[in-house]
Amino acid sequence: MKTIITDVLIIGGGLAGLRTAIGAKRRGHEVIVLSLVPPKRSHSAAAQGGMQASLANVVKGQGDCEDIHFEDTVRGSDWGADQIVARMFVNTAPKAVRELAAWGTPWSRVKGGDRTVIINGQKVTITERMEAEGLIAQRDFGGTKKWRTCYVSDGTGHAMLFTTSDQAIANGIAVHERTEALSLIHDGERCYGAVVRNLITGELTAYLAKATAIATGGAGRLYRVTTNAVICEGMGHALALETGVAALGNMEAVQFHPTGIFPAGILVTEGCRGDGGLLRDVEGHRFMPDYEPEKKELASRDVVSRRMEEHIRKGMGASSRFGEHLWLDITLLGRQHIEHNLREVKEICQYFLGIDPAEKWIPVRPAQHYTMGGVRTRPTGESPYLKGLFAAGEAACWDLHGFNRLGGNSVAETVVAGMIVGERIADFCDRPENNIAAPIHLAREFVQREEAKLQALLTSSGTENAFKLCTEMQEIMTRCVGIFRTADDLQDGVSHLQRLLQKSRDIGLCGKSWGSNPELVAAYRIRRMLKLALTIAYGAYQRTESRGAHFREDFPARNDKDWLKRTLAFWPTQDTEATLPHLDYEPLEVKRMELPPGWRGYGTKNHIDHPDTQARQFEVERIRSAIQGKGGDRHQLQEALMPYLDQLPAALQGRNERLDEPLENQA
């Protein structure tokens, strides 16, 4: 048995994994990163529009601060977020974007003086402050009160990933490409690493580590139409789920992006609408003001996606041989703006649609985009159920996004979580009690178990085809567990997925190669994907309310009284015939919230209050009046409402400076 021993094992080579690795490496720990693909080909490169951080550089961002970013994030989550984590995030995001700038990320910059922008479909001249010239620029995004999204044209993720990957190289971090973790090595209480397969040779290796982190991104490929890359199959989620010990949180919370190009589903950035693009129907009518007169195209993503589908249901979609869709109009932005700030969008439209978006409207329809659910962790990034297991980025549920993520908060989360979790992993490894004697016997047991599973697949005489099962699963998820959900659809979806899981135990392969064998890979992954699909569908069936991206047509109200709690999914590994996860729930404590639950600001007020909400609102107002009466500032008020700084590593606890808020005035 081949064995590799290191201090820290990071599973996933995208932004979250690389930034976590850099943090641990800088603290003196040896780190190995596992990646399915070369890191610079990770799905992080697909992020287009930008990264949210309250810098307040542009004139439309003046007055922005952590407080406003926090409130936008919590409201965007439909009060599903962990507010401690949201505070940690908004405090660290400005530090993260400035760190990336120092590393060489070529952020778009402010140019002082007059410039013409499109706001609400109209050309408007705004004047940028001369003292802001050269600072990082920001654009508007959905669900925000300020222009806060830092960007690199529309290739933000690409620029961030290349910069961070170069830093990983500079720090001497080992990246083992074309490798896949098949299972976590654990004894039910402590994680010791992973069994890893070389995708080229098929060789299995035991990687043993003090700390193991999952940073594998999302699970979009559970759906037929998704903006996610083909490698985003949720395998990191499945690694944790199949331990039978670690929990997945809020898996029913799945985001659909309003503007996937139709029919391919490839992402067209929210920056198109942030920069002034409009959504139009078959008649060319701009319909979003009819539904959301205040935020219009820049309502939260879950809201815009639902409004688009509602409008199509009313017969206002444009027809094509692939089905119905709506239009995204960015022609009003002008060719120069598109070719300078939306270059990727132009290329995508040319290559995949054969159109010039400076002249023609883009056919769009909502597509699966983001997995809010993930490996449940503490604010430190560590699993509360399996010591030594951490998670960061989209694969984690620590829980920043709750039931809906704001655009620009995900790519920000990758580096922010990497900064925080990397430090916490280093703290974990520094403690003497966390040193481990390499458990070779346990590693050998797990390697032999995975070898037996692979051998069973290769020698099976089963009749099921893994690729067909995958296609069926994607169709079921799209039809039954989509933007609109009902008990009948969800029950039907769960039943179908259970049957597919049973069928997946009878897969037969044509190719018998132990090494490079896509059919074998599809066979062992589909079983895991079906388990994840069941955690989503079954969790959605049980949650009889609507919250954020989880919308039950038969239960349209958000029900804080019964459902202000996080779903926890465990897989019963002792039962080899199990076809459903075990669900548990983790209440959110209203009495500790800085921002008690209320109306999000979209549609009609339709929520059932939690019994503690009114009392907490009175308490918040009492504290606010007391602090303001003593002349206290916003930092003192925040600390009185909900202390959180002790959750951040000491190096990240400092305050952020802005043009209108210099550090000397924050003493």
Side-chain angles (χ1 to χ4, degrees):
M1 179 186 72
K2 183 177 178 181
T3 305
I4 295 176
I5 300 175
T6 185
D7 293 327
V8 181
L9 179 66
I10 309 288
I11 304 172
L15 274 170
L18 291 175
R19 186 58 188 84
T20 303
I22 291 168
K25 178 72 174 185
R26 285 178 167 179
R27 292 277 298 276
H29 300 285
E30 287 303 312
V31 181
I32 293 176
V33 175
L34 305 177
S35 185
L36 292 175
V37 295
K40 288 178 179 177
R41 296 294 177 264
S42 296
H43 185 58
S44 299
Q48 297 172 359
M51 164 183 172
Q52 287 210 32
S54 58
L55 303 182
N57 291 336
V58 297
V59 68
K60 285 290 188 178
Q62 275 189 269
D64 198 13
C65 65
E66 297 88 353
D67 295 350
I68 301 174
H69 191 185
F70 168 80
E71 183 175 340
D72 286 345
T73 298
V74 174
R75 288 185 183 277
S77 78
D78 216 355
W79 276 272
D82 183 325
Q83 295 192 16
I84 293 288
V85 170
R87 267 293 172 188
M88 294 165 60
F89 168 74
V90 301
N91 177 288
T92 309
K95 301 176 178 68
V97 74
R98 286 167 172 150
E99 177 184 72
L100 286 164
W103 287 353
T105 300
W107 296 110
S108 297
R109 300 283 175 162
V110 177
K111 185 176 181 180
D114 291 348
R115 66 182 177 115
T116 301
V117 297
I118 305 295
I119 299 177
N120 195 23
Q122 303 296 319
K123 288 186 177 181
V124 177
T125 299
I126 62 175
T127 304
E128 297 292 356
R129 297 170 290 176
M130 295 307 299
E131 60 268 31
E133 182 158 0
L135 299 180
I136 296 170
Q138 294 160 292
R139 59 173 29 135
D140 200 6
F141 249 46
T144 65
K145 295 183 179 67
K146 300 287 184 179
W147 290 24
R148 182 184 302 125
T149 307
C150 311
Y151 60 98
V152 183
S153 184
D154 63 342
T156 308
H158 180 277
M160 291 171 64
L161 181 62
F162 273 56
T163 301
T164 307
S165 181
D166 288 346
Q167 280 294 311
I169 294 169
N171 279 274
I173 294 170
V175 179
H176 295 189
E177 300 172 3
R178 311 293 183 185
T179 56
E180 178 176 11
L182 296 184
S183 69
L184 296 177
I185 299 170
H186 68 95
D187 59 8
E189 296 182 356
R190 172 73 188 264
C191 181
Y192 296 101
V195 177
V196 178
R197 181 172 182 265
N198 184 307
L199 289 171
I200 298 172
T201 66
E203 180 183 25
L204 298 189
T205 302
Y207 283 70
L208 299 175
K210 295 179 186 177
T212 303
I214 293 173
T216 50
R221 289 288 156 175
L222 299 179
Y223 285 81
R224 177 173 54 82
V225 181
T226 176
T227 65
N228 285 194
V230 294
I231 59 174
C232 298
E233 296 177 315
M235 290 301 99
H237 296 69
L239 285 174
L241 185 68
E242 288 194 332
T243 64
V245 181
L248 301 185
N250 285 349
M251 286 300 290
E252 66 268 36
V254 178
Q255 182 174 85
F256 293 80
H257 195 289
T259 55
I261 66 168
F262 187 81
I266 298 169
L267 177 66
V268 173
T269 174
E270 191 162 315
C272 290
R273 288 173 286 129
D275 288 358
L278 306 177
L279 289 169
R280 300 187 185 277
D281 62 20
V282 65
E283 297 176 352
H285 171 63
R286 181 191 179 194
F287 60 89
M288 276 305 298
D290 301 340
Y291 296 101
E292 301 296 339
E294 181 180 350
K295 293 297 289 184
K296 307 175 182 68
E297 283 84 0
L298 290 176
S300 283
R301 285 178 176 172
D302 61 315
V303 176
V304 178
S305 293
R306 280 197 297 275
R307 296 308 194 189
M308 290 174 69
E309 290 296 324
E310 287 173 13
H311 206 59
I312 290 173
R313 284 182 172 186
K314 292 178 180 178
M316 300 308 294
S319 296
S320 78
R321 63 192 179 98
F322 302 108
E324 292 183 301
H325 63 82
L326 295 164
W327 300 105
L328 174 62
D329 175 12
I330 62 171
T331 60
L332 68 169
L333 303 182
R335 182 172 297 279
Q336 182 175 357
H337 181 94
I338 292 169
E339 292 182 349
H340 285 79
N341 290 325
L342 298 169
R343 292 173 295 183
E344 283 194 14
V345 170
K346 183 185 177 187
E347 290 179 358
I348 288 168
C349 290
Q350 288 175 329
Y351 295 149
F352 292 93
L353 297 172
I355 66 170
D356 181 352
E359 297 179 359
K360 293 185 177 180
W361 298 347
I362 306 168
V364 294
R365 189 162 184 174
Q368 192 284 343
H369 180 62
Y370 192 83
T371 311
M372 270 81 73
V375 182
R376 181 70 186 121
T377 75
R378 300 186 179 100
T380 60
E382 186 178 10
S383 167
Y385 306 99
L386 195 59
K387 184 179 179 181
L389 177 64
F390 292 78
E394 190 174 354
C397 176
W398 63 332
D399 172 21
L400 173 62
H401 307 299
F403 275 74
N404 177 68
R405 173 179 69 76
L406 292 186
N409 266 3
S410 63
V411 74
E413 182 195 21
T414 60
V415 286
V416 168
M419 293 170 76
I420 294 171
V421 177
E423 291 295 319
R424 292 310 188 194
I425 286 176
D427 292 341
F428 179 89
C429 292
D430 283 344
R431 292 194 287 272
E433 65 269 23
N434 292 328
N435 290 331
I436 58 169
I440 300 299
H441 65 288
L442 186 64
R444 181 175 290 106
E445 178 186 328
F446 272 83
V447 169
Q448 291 173 346
R449 186 183 305 171
E450 293 306 316
E451 284 179 341
K453 290 179 183 177
L454 294 174
Q455 195 62 46
L457 279 170
L458 290 169
T459 58
S460 171
S461 58
T463 57
E464 298 295 337
N465 181 287
F467 299 107
K468 290 182 179 178
L469 291 177
C470 185
T471 300
E472 287 185 55
M473 173 197 68
Q474 291 170 336
E475 292 291 344
I476 291 166
M477 292 296 289
T478 300
R479 184 179 73 250
C480 300
V481 202
I483 293 174
F484 296 103
R485 302 170 176 182
T486 66
D488 289 344
D489 284 343
L490 291 169
Q491 192 171 34
D492 183 50
V494 169
S495 297
H496 274 81
L497 291 169
Q498 286 179 290
R499 287 196 289 273
L500 290 183
L501 181 58
Q502 291 169 334
K503 286 183 177 182
S504 72
R505 294 164 181 159
D506 188 36
I507 290 175
L509 305 183
C510 296
K512 305 297 183 180
S513 169
W514 182 267
S516 182
N517 186 343
E519 191 181 16
L520 174 62
V521 172
Y524 64 68
R525 286 182 186 173
I526 186 58
R527 294 175 178 174
R528 295 169 178 175
M529 294 172 76
L530 284 164
K531 290 177 183 178
L532 293 181
L534 280 159
T535 66
I536 294 171
Y538 190 53
Y541 177 66
Q542 295 296 326
R543 184 173 285 272
T544 52
E545 65 153 357
S546 292
R547 186 179 298 274
H550 169 71
F551 190 82
R552 288 284 299 263
E553 291 189 281
D554 44 354
F555 296 95
R558 190 187 83 209
N559 185 349
D560 293 340
K561 177 177 177 291
D562 299 315
W563 284 105
L564 190 61
K565 50 192 177 183
R566 191 171 291 113
T567 304
L568 300 175
F570 302 84
W571 197 266
T573 53
Q574 301 85 354
D575 181 3
T576 57
E577 299 300 314
T579 59
L580 280 178
H582 167 70
L583 299 184
D584 201 353
Y585 295 93
E586 176 185 359
L588 277 67
E589 297 183 52
V590 174
K591 291 180 179 179
R592 297 180 58 200
M593 290 183 178
E594 179 180 342
L595 184 64
W599 180 49
R600 285 181 77 193
Y602 304 114
T604 58
K605 295 183 179 181
N606 188 20
H607 65 271
I608 301 168
D609 281 332
H610 189 278
D612 295 333
T613 295
Q614 189 174 32
R616 180 56 180 169
Q617 287 172 338
F618 286 148
E619 179 68 5
V620 167
E621 289 306 314
R622 184 192 66 76
I623 294 172
R624 188 185 307 277
S625 297
I627 296 294
Q628 291 175 344
K630 296 177 182 177
D633 62 17
R634 67 179 182 86
H635 300 289
Q636 292 168 319
L637 173 60
Q638 195 285 312
E639 179 68 15
L641 288 173
M642 190 183 69
Y644 77 95
L645 281 173
D646 63 315
Q647 296 290 333
L648 280 173
L652 300 177
Q653 291 179 8
R655 294 179 181 178
N656 296 301
E657 187 167 29
R658 300 174 182 83
L659 276 177
D660 299 321
E661 199 176 19
L663 286 179
E664 59 265 26
N665 292 350
Q666 298 185 49

